[in-house]
Every structure is written in structure tokens, then in C-alpha cells.
Amino acid sequence: MELTLESAFSTGGLVGHLSYILLVISMLMRRLGPLRVLVILSAFVAILYDWVWLKDPVGVFWESLLVLVNIAQLTLAWRANRRARFTAEEAAFVSARLTDLRPGEARRLLNRGVWIDGAPGLRLTTEGEPVSHLVWIASGEAEIAYRGRVFTRCRAGNFIGEMSVVEEGPASADATLSAPARLWLISGAAVRRLWRDEPELAAALEKAFSRDWREKLAAHRPEAEEAAA
């Protein structure tokens, strides 16, 4: 095909444009599944373009390989979603805070952390000191104190230490269990690796943090006003 304005807008040229348009659109996708589907469609159109108009076996080979790789990745993700299993407490966590993740992705995230039983008096964060773990409270309650004064409480469904863990900053308050609790913990280093290497998991956690903050503000506003009085 000659490089002319007429060839650029011929039938073959338009097919070539379509393959790149699909590829560009795929780069706008925030989830890997739709991204891979669009890449596959782009590659199929490119194979047609290379085969019929360019007579380019090299292009056909590499575009075909691109299709196979992405189909394989979609198959692995589908199998991971089918095989994902959750305990009752894990399922509650997923339904409460990780609804944006597919089962396989949620399983991967949960596997990065551990479940523990916490006794009253267990200190989860210490004001002014680094936060070692992100904590999600499955059951129980923690008192949040600033300069020794309790000003609010975190209950089942709440995170503790989310902002300090991500930013590697010191805790803004003490968080101490005031009742027996069931907790899911993930190390701060693991959370920061998610932020760096696994954008889908990081985005889901970020949305979970935002929901948690809104719920905390709505639930704890009366306690904060009372403490300030």
C-alpha cells in the first residue's frame, strides 16, 4: 500500500485505522479484563489488515501471538475467579469493602494478610509512631484517643491506619481494642507494594478507604462534637 492521502482513507486504510483506534481505547480501560478484550479485537483487525492489504506475514505472526497471550491471560483470570473460595468472615469483608474486585482478585488480596483474634487492650496504632499494619475490624471495637483522650471509636467494618500506612506517616492517634475483636491485618510494606505494582487492587482498596471514611464521619460526628464541647 502506497503512502498517500487516498490510501490512508481507502477501505484497507480504514481497517488499519480501526485496529489502532481499538488499541487506543483499550489503554483507557481501568480494568484488565475489558482492556484485554479490546486488545484482542484490535489484533484481529490488524491481522485482517496485514493479511489482506499489506501481505505482511511478520505482522500476522506477531498479532496472532498477541491474541494468544491475551486469551491465555483471560483464561487464567477466569479460572482464578471460578476457583476462589471464601470463609464466612472473608465473604463478609469482600461484600462490605471489596465489591469492586472479582473473586480471584479479592482472593489474592486476602492472601496478603492474616486473620487474628485481638484481646481488649491490644494497641493497634500509637500516636506519633509508624503504623506497621493496615487493620480491618471484622468484629469488636477500638477506642481512638488523641493525646490520651478518647474522642471516637472504630467498630466492625472499619479500617484502622489506612492513610498512615499508605503514606508511611506516623499515626495521628492511639487505637486500642476495647472489646474482644476479630481482625484482618496486612503489613504496611505489602500495602505499598500493592500501590506500586497492582493498580487494580490498590484502586479497590482506595475506594474502600473512601467509603469507610464517609461512614466514620456519619457515625462519629456526634461523638466528635461531644468531645470538642
Side-chain angles (χ1 to χ4, degrees), residues 118-179:
L122 176 65
R123 181 68 62 86
L124 302 176
T125 65
T126 301
E127 183 182 340
E129 295 185 8
V131 177
S132 61
H133 289 77
L134 168 68
V135 179
W136 184 73
I137 304 175
S139 63
E141 183 178 90
E143 292 181 338
I144 311 300
Y146 177 68
R147 295 183 179 177
R149 183 179 181 183
V150 176
F151 67 92
T152 191
R153 291 172 176 77
C154 286
R155 300 179 173 87
N158 289 148
F159 286 103
I160 291 178
E162 60 272 27
M163 300 312 298
S164 298
V165 159
V166 173
E167 299 173 0
E168 291 190 79
S172 58
D174 295 333
T176 307
L177 291 182
S178 56

Side-chain angles (χ1 to χ4, degrees), residues 13-198:
L14 293 175
V15 172
H17 289 312
L18 178 60
S19 70
Y20 284 105
I21 289 171
L22 290 170
L23 189 61
V24 169
I25 294 174
S26 74
M27 295 300 103
L28 301 177
M29 298 295 104
R30 300 192 64 181
R31 298 190 62 86
L32 277 177
L35 184 152
R36 292 191 186 283
V37 170
L38 284 168
V39 169
I40 290 170
L41 291 175
S42 170
F44 273 128
V45 175
I47 289 170
L48 177 65
Y49 180 57
D50 290 338
W51 185 280
V52 175
W53 284 276
L54 298 186
K55 313 296 183 184
D56 178 13
V58 175
V60 170
F61 171 79
W62 287 108
E63 295 292 349
S64 299
L65 185 60
L66 185 62
V67 169
L68 292 175
V69 168
N70 279 278
I71 288 176
Q73 290 294 328
L74 286 173
T75 301
L76 290 173
W78 175 80
R79 289 181 64 187
N81 290 331
R82 287 290 301 270
R83 292 181 175 182
R85 297 292 183 271
F86 303 100
T87 64
E89 61 189 3
E90 289 173 338
F93 186 14
V94 172
S95 63
R97 287 290 179 261
L98 305 177
T99 54
D100 293 322
L101 292 179
R102 290 191 173 92
E105 296 168 336
R107 181 70 270 162
R108 280 195 358 250
L109 176 59
L110 289 169
N111 287 345
R112 306 292 173 85
V114 295
W115 290 91
I116 68 167
D117 294 312
L122 176 65
R123 181 68 62 86
L124 302 176
T125 65
T126 301
E127 183 182 340
E129 295 185 8
V131 177
S132 61
H133 289 77
L134 168 68
V135 179
W136 184 73
I137 304 175
S139 63
E141 183 178 90
E143 292 181 338
I144 311 300
Y146 177 68
R147 295 183 179 177
R149 183 179 181 183
V150 176
F151 67 92
T152 191
R153 291 172 176 77
C154 286
R155 300 179 173 87
N158 289 148
F159 286 103
I160 291 178
E162 60 272 27
M163 300 312 298
S164 298
V165 159
V166 173
E167 299 173 0
E168 291 190 79
S172 58
D174 295 333
T176 307
L177 291 182
S178 56
R182 184 68 172 162
L183 310 169
W184 179 79
L185 287 76
I186 181 172
S187 72
V191 172
R192 289 186 288 275
R193 281 196 297 272
L194 289 178
W195 246 253
R196 184 183 68 240
D197 301 331
E198 302 194 55

